[in-house]
Amino acid sequence: MENNNDNALHQVVERIRAAAADATPLCIRGGGTKDFYGEAPQGELLDMRPLAGITSYEPSELVVTVRAGTPLAELEAALAEKGQCLPFEPPCFGSGGTVGGMVAAGLSGPARASVGSVRDYVLGATLVNGRGEVLSFGGQVMKNVAGYDVSRVLAGSLGTLGVIAEVSLKVLPVPPAEATLEFACEQGDALRLLNEWGGRPLPLNASCWFEYAGAGALYLRLRGAVAAVEAACEHLGGERKDNARAAADWQSLRDQQLPWFATGNGPDALWRVSVPQTAPVLSIDGSAPLIEWHGGQRWYKAPPSEAARIREIARAAGGHATLFRLPGSALQSGVPRFDALSAPVERIQRALMREFDPHGLFNRGRLLPAN
């Protein structure tokens, strides 16, 4: 396995050097489960799946090092055998997702507001830059970085800084107790309750509010010590759900498999609006949103043509809006997927991209418009 992966990395390096020599753009891909996210992939395919396997795993140290093409399901299964997990619950969107794609996309699941995001768990990374150089950043402990923390900058970069070859991740034990509570309430009441509970010493882990059959319901997941979870359930009230059924529903939420996310072939796109948790109900027309992250992440269905209005409302609330997924009837909408960056932030982002990928080979135009 080691020799096979050494050979796979060598082939990646040689492919990048050849692409740099003739200015051929490359589309970095693992399982392709997130091709819908960001602007359309461009360039010749660079398949990362051959570079797979868990390099090292020290359960007692809560650290795992994994090659980029490793299936995410394989990593999660290995962690589960030791009673551990990736606390940020990375979305899969399909059975073929890889660890490299998880880091490059930088997406997190329902628990993100309570436990942190992908980047908070990246300890180190091995990267192949646009010159075909193999670079290593960070390590396998939390405090080992001097200067720029490049390994964490990779999270959410959509492959525009280089080819992730390997990552070291912090993992955590599965909490000993879990409970899900349901509360019948409207959107405004749900936001008020979440803000009120957020100021108390409660083992909050995830939340979700949406309307079904015309009625709103707030779901709250508690995780932690047995005594803390039981005390919180008694204090908060609500209807306690069956753990097995609730676990399946939370996983469906993570992977956007709940019926609420179904868009079909209609004109509506799926918008992700990121705002402060204390933001009030937003006046975005259309169906009622699905709200996660204790109010910080709100999903809306609206046509791409509503981009300017949605983004204006999001900015007024102190956040931003992403055109997350287009409907089948509008695969080419002409609307930018990501909200415009401020001039200083875009300057920094482009400077990083030029430094790591001077020939502009990797996932061209996927994150920022190509110059």
Side-chain angles (χ1 to χ4, degrees):
M1 176 65 78
E2 194 68 34
N3 290 336
N4 289 342
N5 277 286
D6 286 346
N7 183 54
L9 180 57
H10 176 74
Q11 290 179 351
V12 168
V13 169
E14 290 304 309
R15 179 77 183 283
I16 292 171
R17 289 175 178 171
D22 58 17
T24 301
L26 296 173
C27 171
I28 308 166
R29 179 182 290 150
T33 58
K34 301 176 185 67
D35 280 353
F36 69 87
Y37 181 56
E39 303 297 345
Q42 299 179 35
E44 293 185 0
L45 176 64
L46 178 58
D47 188 355
M48 296 301 297
R49 288 176 297 180
L51 190 63
I54 297 175
T55 306
S56 67
Y57 177 29
E58 297 294 338
S60 62
E61 299 295 329
L62 301 177
V63 174
V64 63
T65 301
V66 198
R67 295 184 179 94
T70 307
L72 182 55
E74 179 181 320
L75 172 59
E76 291 187 316
L79 296 177
E81 287 182 3
K82 301 295 183 180
Q84 297 180 348
C85 66
L86 299 171
F88 53 89
E89 298 180 300
C92 295
F93 303 125
S95 60
T98 61
V99 172
M102 172 192 78
V103 175
L107 300 174
S108 303
R112 186 261 182 266
S114 298
V115 305
S117 64
V118 180
R119 69 178 303 276
D120 298 311
Y121 292 83
V122 176
L123 301 177
T126 297
L127 178 78
V128 186
N129 68 9
R131 301 178 181 87
E133 300 168 334
V134 180
L135 310 174
S136 293
F137 303 96
Q140 295 186 337
V141 295
M142 289 299 289
K143 295 184 179 180
N144 62 353
V145 177
Y148 291 111
D149 193 350
V150 173
S151 56
R152 295 187 179 184
V153 171
L154 297 176
S157 65
L158 287 179
T160 58
L161 298 180
V163 177
I164 300 171
E166 186 176 82
V167 292
S168 293
L169 300 165
K170 178 185 177 183
V171 300
L172 290 180
V174 174
E178 177 178 312
T180 295
L181 304 176
E182 178 183 354
F183 304 84
C185 60
E186 298 305 309
Q187 182 183 171
D189 292 330
L191 292 173
R192 177 183 56 78
L193 287 171
L194 289 169
N195 286 316
E196 178 185 330
W197 293 335
R200 299 181 186 178
L202 297 168
L204 304 182
N205 178 260
S207 59
C208 175
W209 180 90
F210 63 96
E211 282 189 358
Y212 179 74
L218 171 64
Y219 297 88
L220 188 70
R221 186 172 67 188
L222 307 169
R223 278 182 174 171
V226 174
V229 169
E230 293 302 321
C233 288
E234 184 176 346
H235 173 72
L236 293 172
E239 179 186 348
R240 188 163 182 172
K241 313 302 288 186
D242 175 75
N243 267 7
R245 176 65 183 272
D249 288 341
W250 287 110
Q251 183 166 331
S252 293
L253 172 62
R254 180 191 78 164
D255 296 335
Q256 296 188 349
Q257 296 299 312
L258 289 177
W260 187 93
F261 287 99
T263 55
N265 292 317
D268 286 348
L270 180 63
W271 289 88
R272 181 181 67 189
V273 177
S274 301
V275 291
Q277 294 175 348
T278 53
V281 174
L282 303 181
S283 56
I284 295 177
D285 297 335
S287 61
L290 184 147
I291 299 176
E292 292 187 84
W293 299 2
H294 311 331
Q297 178 166 260
R298 308 184 188 185
W299 300 97
Y300 292 85
K301 296 174 185 176
S305 58
E306 295 293 308
R309 184 179 61 85
I310 292 172
R311 286 179 165 146
E312 180 182 352
I313 292 171
R315 283 193 290 269
H320 62 274
T322 299
L323 180 52
F324 194 78
R325 194 190 292 262
L326 284 167
S329 59
L331 292 180
Q332 299 294 331
S333 69
V335 176
R337 295 298 193 96
F338 300 109
D339 215 339
L341 298 175
S342 66
V345 172
E346 182 171 348
R347 255 194 325 270
I348 293 171
Q349 183 68 45
R350 290 194 182 278
L352 282 170
M353 291 166 64
R354 285 193 299 270
E355 181 64 30
F356 285 96
D357 182 20
H359 306 292
L361 303 178
F362 302 134
N363 288 6
R364 185 177 295 175
R366 187 80 185 269
L367 184 63
L368 296 177
N371 285 336

